[in-house]
Amino acid sequence: MNKSLSLAGLSPAGLLSALLMGALATALTIGIWSVVHTLSTPLVIEVSIPHLLLIGAALGLLWALVRERFGGRYLHSWALGALMSVPWFAFAHTVTPGIAAGAVAAFAIAGRVTAGALRGIPMHKLRQDHIEELAVRVLRTGALVFFVGIVLFPFLFMISSSFKTRAEYLSDPLNLGFSLSQPPAQLFNGYIEVLTRFNFGAYIFNSAIIALATVIVTLVPAILGAYAVTRLKFPGRQALSKSILLIYMFPAIVLVIPLYSVFTQLGLRDTRLGLLIVYSAMTIPVALYMLRSYFQTLPRDLEEAALIDGLSRFGVILQITLPLSVPAIASVGLYVFMIAWNEFLFAFMFLDSPGIFTLSRGMIMLDDQEVPRQFLMAGATVITVPIMFLFFRFQRLLVGGLTAGGVKG
Amino acid sequence: MKKTYSSLAAREARLAFWMLLPAFTIVAAVILFPVVANFWLSFKTVGLGDLRPPTATIREQVTEAPQHPGDELVLLYRMRNSSRTVPIQHIQISAHIPPGLIPARLPQHWQIENSTLTRVYPDGWEGGYTEDIEFQFTTAPEYFTPEVDARRPTNPQTVSRARNPLLSANLTLENFRFVISAREFWTVLRTSFVYPFLGAFLSIVMGIAAAQLLNRQFRGQGILRGLFLFPYVAPVIAVAFTWVFFLDPFSGTVNTFAMELGIFEQPISFLSERYYRVELFGTTVRLPLALTVVILFDAWRYFPFSFLFILARFQAIPDQLYESADVDGAGHFRKFFSITLPQLYGVVTTLFLLRFMWTFNKFDDVFLLTGGAAGTRTLPIQVYDNAFGRANIGAGSAAAVILFVLLAVFMALYFRTIREDIDE
């Protein structure tokens, strides 16, 4: 045994890692393929994990041998992987032409993944650091699959459900796929119903108006305040600077009862203006904090020179500070917009009249046994898509906002 | 010379005052004032119905309707104070008597002048006051015209004055007694700590793992970073409903998938079962199921937040540390545990406190997932439930005060920690 192995050029540790990596890589790749296939088509692919591990181990071993003998091009690994689908077909229960093609492709990928997993590891002479490298690769790949899976799955589920009728999803809850061949009016039925019958068209408008107004009503006092705190000397400046962050920590749930009471008595509760006031107050401290941090990084020389040349304070702010701060202000503005758009608690507590509902509040109206899940998920998609669009379009800015909005440093 | 300087400084301070005024006014009115008001309300017996000032209401009923001129009409006024606790101080009632309605007999204190029926209650009504008054009229032919509403012929109006119940100074500790003696209070308190503690812990562990994964240049790194922020950026209501649906026992993907794989035989309603029983070594272990799911939701939704900060911190770790470790022949794991983790100490402590506090206050997530049922009731849910579910504003405020006081302790801790961070 040992002799034949040394003939093949594999050390016992090399052999073991080839078997193990092959098994893991194959199980992972085929596993992902079968889950994706199960979720996206009506067919359930059952894979027997023990068989898969065996086939994978064989694949790992064969690849190690091929690599030792022929130097191992990746092309070979694809071919070798595809070949390993043959033993899998022997165990498979149902094989349609579609599954067969998919399986061959998936095994080809498994071959490539196995090759990648063993890349750069000398199979005849395995050292401690090689083993560690292999462990890191396993962890890294596992983590990657885990995170991509958990982040994507809920959103895929949401979008897919918005296109499926009750009968469709009950007949096969595992299938997240939907047929694009149906007429658009039928496919988009959930969206059409939600936007017309459930008035989401108006709610989009309300949410957008309130969020945009919040951005403006927050930015103006925050810019003025941040400028005063960074550029002007006045008694109590230090204390004020510190208390900004403290106020940002005040919880909404403590504010909600008194605000509900007072706004009810003032007749502000069930109005867009009331919501705008609350949203601005909640975002002013963090906006001020973020802008303060940014203004501190701006050089003062230019402003001071302009002051000496006779420009007024407001002239300085309008002509020097603001133009230099456009990226920061955009970042803060986006962050505030996101908070206002996503806000739930106050919209839920304050708004009673359907005419002024925001999307968050409108969603609650859909949460009813009578309303099919399709409509709720269509509503969820409608509320999510604009914010995701903004996020991707301005990712750099928004990430800056998120980071500065959280903690110092 | 000195005078010019000081007047310049005064001018600067004055300008600063005016520039800070708008921000300060809004924050004072909508954040600071409510916090104080919350303390005030927690010492008062106020129900949801007391928020509108009490009014004197009258329901008019015709108990005997006339058929022909000359018949008798009997009219009943059912009067009550709309509040059951708050008195109304001065009440003036007036009603228009239509032509053709001739009073047979007027109850005491009621008067008619120029066909206007009036009554004044100078001492007002107590809270919960009710009174029924009957009037008898005889009818003339003019009464039987279409202008007269035969069901409500007189349409009585009231003018009243009442003190705002939120402002009166009768204070009580009853609300706190109510909150603390509630059967589930200590369970709620425990859940309120367990949920943010584990939620913060898990989200940070996941954040470290995700940051470690993306802390190197490779193709698709930017896209992955954007993708990882999805759960944090998406509106809570959208993702919470999505979770509810895919965890659904009958049509949810998770249950169907697990049953297809044979992991469990019966579908599990993840969000409405308090415990999941597991047989382990002959004993039954009870896992708090709904609470676990809520904690996992939290970890999922907020790991991107930790991820961002930890990634930023990673990029600030000097390369020389790793280079010298390479020279010493340290492996990946050694480097991670001896260099990376210690470097994260500061940011992780801050993140933990921050996430703990924010989750401690968080209402939306639990409310939308379980509504506080099945052992997931936290203090914020209790605040909402007392104030709006049970219509007891006072008890809700008392729960909010307890929450705020606990939070103040964490805040003190947090600000001490970040001060040390700055000092370093």
Side-chain angles (χ1 to χ4, degrees):
Chain A
M1 180 93 183
N2 222 342
K3 198 176 170 210
S4 72
L5 280 175
S6 57
L7 269 179
L10 300 182
S11 70
L15 172 70
L16 198 67
S17 41
L19 293 172
L20 203 64
M21 294 305 270
L24 286 175
T26 308
L28 182 79
T29 314
I30 305 302
I32 292 176
W33 167 67
S34 70
V35 168
V36 168
H37 201 283
T38 306
L39 290 179
S40 58
T41 65
L43 287 169
V44 175
I45 295 195
E46 289 177 29
V47 288
S48 143
I49 305 273
H51 289 152
L52 212 53
L53 289 174
L54 271 178
I55 296 173
L59 173 60
L61 178 65
L62 285 175
W63 169 250
L65 293 173
V66 167
R67 204 181 68 178
E68 290 301 312
R69 187 66 52 90
F70 306 108
R73 301 266 181 77
Y74 282 136
L75 193 64
H76 301 149
S77 72
W78 292 98
L80 188 63
L83 213 59
M84 292 311 281
S85 64
V86 176
W88 183 77
F89 285 123
F91 299 120
H93 296 291
T94 42
V95 178
T96 65
I99 292 185
V104 172
F107 272 97
I109 296 172
R112 174 63 182 81
V113 173
T114 307
L118 291 170
R119 186 172 54 99
I121 307 292
M123 305 317 275
H124 48 272
K125 202 173 67 191
L126 223 60
R127 289 194 316 266
Q128 169 76 25
D129 58 324
H130 291 135
I131 293 175
E132 210 167 82
E133 175 65 32
L134 287 176
V136 167
R137 282 180 191 173
V138 170
L139 284 177
R140 209 176 259 291
T141 314
L144 190 68
V145 171
F146 171 77
F147 278 112
V148 171
I150 62 162
V151 166
L152 273 188
F153 171 72
F155 294 98
L156 293 179
F157 179 88
M158 179 166 94
I159 292 169
S160 135
S161 301
S162 71
F163 289 112
K164 289 165 78 95
T165 65
R166 190 182 175 77
E168 276 169 334
Y169 73 71
L170 277 181
S171 70
D172 183 9
L174 262 190
N175 179 10
L176 290 188
F178 49 90
S179 158
L180 287 173
S181 60
Q182 47 192 326
Q186 194 181 327
L187 182 64
F188 290 97
N189 183 37
Y191 292 92
I192 294 166
E193 286 285 309
V194 155
L195 287 174
T196 56
R197 186 146 71 88
F198 291 96
N199 247 336
F200 267 48
Y203 302 163
I204 294 176
F205 175 77
N206 287 334
S207 276
I209 284 291
I210 293 178
L212 281 175
T214 305
V215 171
I216 295 165
V217 177
T218 298
L219 279 180
V220 173
I223 290 171
L224 291 175
Y227 186 87
V229 171
T230 47
R231 292 290 189 271
L232 301 174
K233 288 195 193 69
F234 58 92
R237 189 168 82 152
Q238 287 296 321
L240 189 78
S241 227
K242 276 183 188 146
S243 58
I244 296 168
L245 197 58
L246 183 81
I247 286 167
Y248 179 47
M249 300 276 155
F250 278 22
I253 192 75
V254 172
L255 311 180
V256 78
I257 296 177
L259 285 177
Y260 183 95
S261 310
V262 173
F263 276 35
T264 300
Q265 299 204 332
L266 294 178
L268 271 175
R269 185 167 63 79
D270 189 18
T271 65
R272 278 179 281 221
L273 177 66
L275 220 50
L276 168 65
I277 294 173
V278 174
Y279 290 176
S280 306
M282 288 200 311
T283 48
I284 280 175
V286 65
L288 213 162
Y289 183 80
M290 286 158 73
L291 287 172
R292 190 197 70 145
S293 307
Y294 185 79
F295 287 167
Q296 279 169 345
T297 66
L298 287 182
R300 285 155 167 249
D301 316 5
L302 208 59
E303 291 179 23
E304 273 157 18
L307 278 176
I308 290 165
D309 285 352
L311 204 60
S312 72
R313 275 285 176 193
F314 286 95
V316 167
I317 294 179
L318 284 179
Q319 290 174 30
I320 296 175
T321 316
L322 282 188
L324 283 175
S325 329
V326 168
I329 290 170
S331 161
V332 175
L334 271 170
Y335 184 57
V336 169
F337 185 89
M338 190 187 93
I339 291 179
W341 180 276
N342 289 356
E343 206 279 339
F344 167 72
L345 176 61
F346 283 98
F348 172 62
M349 297 299 308
F350 279 20
L351 301 182
D352 295 332
S353 319
I356 58 168
F357 276 2
T358 61
L359 281 167
S360 287
R361 181 67 183 83
M363 281 286 290
I364 291 292
M365 298 303 284
L366 296 181
D367 184 20
D368 185 317
Q369 291 296 324
E370 304 287 303
V371 178
R373 181 174 94 180
Q374 183 187 12
F375 295 2
L376 248 160
M377 291 292 94
T381 311
V382 167
I383 182 171
T384 308
V385 162
I387 212 75
M388 287 307 182
F389 171 76
L390 278 183
F391 175 69
F392 261 110
R393 179 72 186 71
F394 303 105
Q395 202 201 68
R396 199 173 290 275
L397 283 176
L398 203 64
V399 165
L402 291 173
T403 326
V407 258
K408 206 179 163 68
Chain B
M1 189 66 205
K2 193 161 188 272
K3 204 179 162 205
T4 352
Y5 173 76
S6 80
S7 82
L8 253 175
R11 231 175 62 195
E12 200 166 297
R14 216 163 36 237
L15 182 64
F17 170 79
W18 285 111
M19 288 175 80
L20 279 163
L21 190 66
F24 182 80
T25 313
I26 298 188
V27 169
V30 185
I31 295 179
L32 300 180
F33 163 73
V35 170
V36 178
N38 194 71
F39 274 84
W40 172 256
L41 286 174
S42 71
F43 292 107
K44 299 186 57 59
T45 352
V46 192
L48 203 54
D50 299 330
L51 291 183
R52 296 182 188 286
T55 49
T57 62
I58 301 180
R59 204 149 57 88
E60 180 184 19
Q61 261 181 344
V62 176
T63 49
E64 261 189 67
Q67 300 301 321
H68 309 285
D71 284 357
E72 192 178 56
L73 183 145
V74 180
L75 195 62
L76 189 67
Y77 279 7
R78 320 200 94 149
M79 308 187 287
R80 66 181 185 90
N81 182 343
S82 69
S83 162
R84 303 180 53 169
T85 47
V86 186
I88 303 176
Q89 276 143 350
H90 185 276
I91 301 159
Q92 202 175 343
I93 299 171
S94 58
H96 175 71
I97 305 292
L101 216 52
I102 303 120
R105 190 173 57 82
L106 268 186
Q108 226 185 347
H109 303 301
W110 292 80
Q111 284 162 357
I112 293 185
E113 245 176 69
N114 300 331
S115 60
T116 305
L117 176 72
T118 55
R119 165 76 157 103
V120 176
Y121 288 85
D123 299 329
W125 295 347
E126 287 301 298
Y129 177 91
T130 58
E131 189 186 349
D132 289 359
I133 288 276
E134 210 177 67
F135 302 91
Q136 287 167 357
F137 299 93
T138 48
T139 49
E142 298 98 298
Y143 177 74
F144 298 90
T145 49
E147 284 99 79
V148 179
D149 181 353
R151 286 165 60 221
R152 283 183 208 80
T154 62
N155 192 21
Q157 304 291 323
T158 63
V159 180
S160 61
R161 259 202 327 247
R163 206 184 293 143
N164 190 333
L166 301 185
L167 300 179
S168 70
N170 44 344
L171 302 177
T172 164
L173 282 173
E174 190 48 45
N175 296 321
F176 288 95
R177 199 173 304 137
F178 177 83
V179 169
I180 290 173
S181 63
R183 197 154 43 87
E184 76 276 13
F185 178 71
W186 298 106
T187 327
V188 168
L189 209 57
R190 200 181 60 200
T191 313
S192 302
F193 278 90
V194 170
Y195 159 61
F197 186 90
L198 292 179
F201 177 78
L202 276 181
S203 77
I204 289 174
V205 170
M206 284 170 69
I208 294 176
Q212 181 76 19
L213 196 62
L214 293 198
N215 188 28
R216 49 176 203 158
Q217 291 298 322
F218 59 92
R219 221 160 9 112
Q221 189 235 22
I223 291 174
L224 276 182
R225 193 182 66 161
L227 194 69
F228 281 11
L229 295 174
F230 263 33
Y232 186 63
V233 179
V236 60
I237 190 153
V239 290
F241 277 131
T242 308
W243 272 61
V244 168
F245 283 133
F246 72 68
L247 292 175
D248 187 89
F250 304 109
S251 58
T253 318
V254 173
N255 268 299
T256 329
F257 198 69
M259 276 162 62
E260 195 79 48
L261 288 180
I263 296 175
F264 32 83
E265 285 148 20
Q266 293 284 314
I268 297 177
S269 40
F270 288 98
L271 292 167
S272 53
E273 261 169 50
R274 188 181 281 256
Y275 293 115
Y276 181 65
R277 288 178 176 75
V278 194
E279 298 286 339
L280 262 187
F281 312 116
T283 54
T284 311
V285 180
R286 294 192 311 175
L287 287 176
L289 184 65
L291 183 61
T292 309
V293 175
V294 171
I295 290 170
L296 289 179
F297 176 80
D298 226 70
W300 175 80
R301 187 159 147 70
Y302 299 105
F303 90 84
F305 182 81
S306 309
F307 157 75
L308 269 186
F309 287 97
I310 292 166
L311 193 61
R313 185 72 193 85
F314 273 162
Q315 274 147 17
I317 298 176
D319 284 338
Q320 296 105 297
L321 288 178
Y322 292 111
E323 281 157 15
S324 51
D326 279 337
V327 172
D328 294 343
H332 291 283
F333 293 96
R334 189 67 204 276
K335 278 193 275 191
F336 178 74
F337 285 106
S338 306
I339 301 173
T340 313
L341 269 191
Q343 287 281 328
L344 291 183
Y345 180 78
V347 68
V348 163
T349 318
T350 316
L351 270 176
F352 182 81
L353 280 167
L354 207 59
R355 279 261 48 97
F356 181 88
M357 287 193 291
W358 280 345
T359 312
F360 187 79
N361 299 332
K362 201 85 198 156
F363 168 80
D364 309 1
D365 304 31
V366 179
F367 180 76
L368 289 170
L369 285 176
T370 66
T376 56
R377 183 173 287 259
T378 57
L379 269 176
I381 300 283
Q382 191 77 345
V383 170
Y384 169 82
D385 216 41
N386 280 346
F388 302 102
R390 297 185 182 145
N392 189 342
I393 292 281
S397 305
V401 163
I402 294 173
L403 185 148
F404 188 74
V405 168
L406 290 171
L407 188 73
V409 176
F410 308 139
M411 280 210 255
L413 209 66
Y414 170 73
F415 280 97
R416 245 183 47 197
T417 315
I418 62 167
R419 181 156 328 129
E420 278 164 12
D421 254 16
I422 294 162
D423 287 347
E424 266 169 22

